[in-house]
């Protein structure tokens, strides 16, 4: 768990939540402008268009000049809709046809400021987009925080009564599925009402870019929920593994591994373990490609193969792990060095029906005691 990453995630969440609040306000403000406007008789006196540029697109915005009177005071305005819209050029032509010069029509003005008026009560997609974009930003921040809070980088090894060392997982195998599911549900709860409201009030012709972005948001939310459900389906068939080693991991000494994984289905299962030593760059931001994470050694062990399992049963296995005497020990978690040596054990349980659960354990591998190192050197000298 990195405190700096959590801080960045929390700041991202706050920015996203603040932006989403602004998006809600803009949606409410647009709705208030349209629903609170009062009708007034107006006369069309002119037409013109102007170019509206956005993201490389250019749209013709129709401007209809019209005159009206409120409280015996004359006003002139040329706004057609409360907000400028990115619509096809044919929209401008249809507006000029609908409001010919010299025609009497009905306009709607703002009672708090009669100089502001419009002819067509058409909702723009623009106020909805900040809300959806900021919800994505907030979801990313939430995902980062949730991932870090459920992640334990520090080795967890607890002595048992038998003298063995019980290993604590870096992260529960369903933790990411839960975080992804929470992010998807929050996105659905917060984003769906805004999208549905826009679909209800939007009238033809529609702003296609807005519908594309709303569709992309919906696809992202459904994808997060689908991936969460898929991971739950894969991992829910296995319980929390019970993993123990016969001694503290030490350079130059073999390690006896004992694993037991509860099963919650009827079928067959495999159990594999992978011991790995990596040199990891601990910098939060590394924009250069120098010294990427390097695997120094890797050992794969098959603990159980195609063993029949049942509900409320378990699959178990043992193996001897080799920690070579020429390998470096683990770097302390609080070390200020840029590159850390990290020893890890990855346990993978696979079962029939596509079930799979992968759990990682961080090991604290120490150097052998000085007496053992001297004995090893003496033995090597006698051998020569």
């Amino acid at each position: 768990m990195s405190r700096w990453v959590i801080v960045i995630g929390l700041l991202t969440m706050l920015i996203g939540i603040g932006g989403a609040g602004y998006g809600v306000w803009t949606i409410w403000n647009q709705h208030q402008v349209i629903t609170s406007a009062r009708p007034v008789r107006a006369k069309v006196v002119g037409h013109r268009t102007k170019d509206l540029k956005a993201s490389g697109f250019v749209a013709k915005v129709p401007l209809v000049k019209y005159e009206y009177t409120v409280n015996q005071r004359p006003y002139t305005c040329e706004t057609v809709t409360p907000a400028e819209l990115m619509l096809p050029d044919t929209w401008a032509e249809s507006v000029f046809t609908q409001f010919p010069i010299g025609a009497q029509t009905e306009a709607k003005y703002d009672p708090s400021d009669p100089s502001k008026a419009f002819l067509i009560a058409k909702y723009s997609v623009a106020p909805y987009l900040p809300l959806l974009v900021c919800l994505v930003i907030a979801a990313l921040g939430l995902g980062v925080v949730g991932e870090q809070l459920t992640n334990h980088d520090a080795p967890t090894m607890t002595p048992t009564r038998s003298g063995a060392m019980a290993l604590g997982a870096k992260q529960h195998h369903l933790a990411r599925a839960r975080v992804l599911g929470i992010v998807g549900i929050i996105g659905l709860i917060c984003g769906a009402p805004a999208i549905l409201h826009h679909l209800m009030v939007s009238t033809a012709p529609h702003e296609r870019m807005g519908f594309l972005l709303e569709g992309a948001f919906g696809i992202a939310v459904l994808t997060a929920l689908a991936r969460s459900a898929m991971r739950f389906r894969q991992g829910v068939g296995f319980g929390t593994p019970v993993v123990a080693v016969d001694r503290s991991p030490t350079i130059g000494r073999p390690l006896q591994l004992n694993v037991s994984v509860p099963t919650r289905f009827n079928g067959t299962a495999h159990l594999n373990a992978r011991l790995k030593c990596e040199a990891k760059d601990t910098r939060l931001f590394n924009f250069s490609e120098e010294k990427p994470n390097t695997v120094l050694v890797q050992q794969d062990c098959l603990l159980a193969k195609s063993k029949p399992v049942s509900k409320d049963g378990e699959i178990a296995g043992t193996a001897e792990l080799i920690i070579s005497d020429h390998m470096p020990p683990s770097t302390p978690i609080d070390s200020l060095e840029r590159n850390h040596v990290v020893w890890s054990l990855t346990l993978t349980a696979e079962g029939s029906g596509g079930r799979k659960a992968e759990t990682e354990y961080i090991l604290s591998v120490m150097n052998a005691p000085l007496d053992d190192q001297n004995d090893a050197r003496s033995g090597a000298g006698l051998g020569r």
Side-chain angles (χ1 to χ4, degrees):
M1 181 174 66
S2 173
R3 292 181 180 179
W4 281 111
V5 175
I6 291 178
V7 169
I8 292 174
L10 289 174
L11 288 176
T12 304
M13 280 182 59
L14 290 175
I15 293 172
I17 292 171
Y22 171 76
V24 171
W25 180 83
T26 57
I27 293 172
W28 178 84
N29 185 63
Q30 175 179 243
H31 184 69
Q32 283 293 107
V33 168
I34 292 177
T35 56
S36 64
R38 296 179 182 177
V40 65
R41 298 301 298 173
K43 180 180 180 180
V44 179
V45 296
H47 293 161
R48 71 184 183 92
T49 62
K50 76 170 185 177
D51 291 340
L52 177 62
K53 299 179 181 180
S55 302
F57 295 93
V58 180
K60 296 289 185 182
V61 177
L63 299 175
V64 177
K65 189 175 182 179
Y66 51 94
E67 299 172 342
Y68 58 98
T69 302
V70 177
N71 296 329
Q72 299 181 350
R73 184 175 179 179
Y75 293 94
T76 300
C77 187
E78 57 181 5
T79 303
V80 175
T81 55
E84 296 179 337
L85 308 174
M86 292 289 295
L87 293 172
D89 293 347
T90 53
W91 156 251
E93 298 172 4
S94 67
V95 168
F96 295 154
T97 302
Q98 183 179 354
F99 301 100
I101 296 175
Q104 293 288 333
T105 187
E106 181 181 87
K108 292 186 176 182
Y109 70 94
D110 185 347
S112 61
D113 185 359
S115 64
K116 296 179 180 179
F118 58 87
L119 296 175
I120 302 175
K122 188 173 179 61
Y123 285 79
S124 169
V125 74
Y128 297 86
L129 300 184
L131 171 62
L132 299 181
V133 171
C134 290
L135 283 177
V136 172
I137 295 173
L140 291 174
L142 176 61
V144 170
V145 173
E147 173 76 12
Q148 290 299 313
L149 291 178
T150 58
N151 206 12
H152 306 284
D153 292 325
T156 305
M157 297 186 294
T158 308
T160 62
R161 292 182 179 179
S162 63
M165 305 290 292
L167 304 184
K170 178 180 178 181
Q171 187 182 63
H172 191 276
H173 65 278
L174 292 179
R176 289 184 178 177
R178 290 169 182 158
V179 171
L180 199 59
I182 291 172
V183 169
I185 290 172
I186 292 177
L188 183 65
I189 293 174
C190 298
I195 294 176
L196 290 176
H197 181 265
H198 178 243
L199 293 176
M200 291 172 60
V201 299
S202 180
T203 56
H206 303 287
E207 294 176 282
R208 296 178 182 176
M209 185 59 66
F211 278 102
L212 289 175
L213 292 176
E214 289 175 342
F217 179 86
I219 291 173
V221 169
L222 294 177
T223 300
L225 292 173
R227 288 180 64 85
S228 174
M230 182 178 67
R231 290 191 176 188
F232 264 109
R233 182 183 176 278
Q234 288 180 337
V236 77
F238 297 98
T240 302
V242 178
V243 182
V245 291
D246 62 338
R247 66 177 74 191
S248 296
T250 306
I251 296 295
R253 290 183 177 179
L255 198 65
Q256 189 69 28
L257 174 68
N258 297 282
V259 178
S260 174
V261 182
T263 55
R264 299 168 181 164
F265 64 97
N266 296 319
T268 59
H270 315 275
L271 195 58
N272 298 280
R274 171 175 291 174
L275 178 67
K276 185 163 59 175
C277 177
E278 294 178 278
K280 289 190 174 182
D281 189 337
T282 60
R283 285 177 294 180
L284 187 58
F285 299 106
N286 180 13
F287 298 105
S288 66
E289 297 183 358
E290 61 178 5
K291 293 189 177 180
N293 295 348
T294 304
V295 177
L296 303 178
V297 69
Q298 180 173 298
Q299 178 186 352
D300 294 314
C301 302
L302 178 62
L303 304 178
K305 181 178 180 181
S306 300
K307 284 197 173 182
V309 296
S310 61
K311 290 183 179 179
D312 301 321
E314 66 176 23
I315 181 171
T318 62
E320 185 177 75
L321 304 176
I322 306 299
I323 302 179
S324 303
D325 55 8
H326 66 277
M327 297 304 299
S330 301
T331 304
I333 192 69
D334 56 353
S335 172
L336 298 180
E337 295 181 19
R338 191 180 74 180
N339 294 314
H340 281 199
V341 175
V342 179
W343 285 84
S344 64
L345 177 70
T346 303
L347 185 67
T348 304
E350 296 180 90
S352 51
R355 296 176 176 86
K356 184 177 181 180
E358 189 172 275
T359 311
E360 185 178 2
Y361 302 82
I362 303 299
L363 304 179
S364 178
V365 178
M366 302 176 295
N367 270 320
L370 189 59
D371 292 343
D372 290 0
Q373 295 181 23
N374 292 334
D375 292 345
R377 293 193 188 98
S378 299
L382 292 174
R384 287 194 294 270

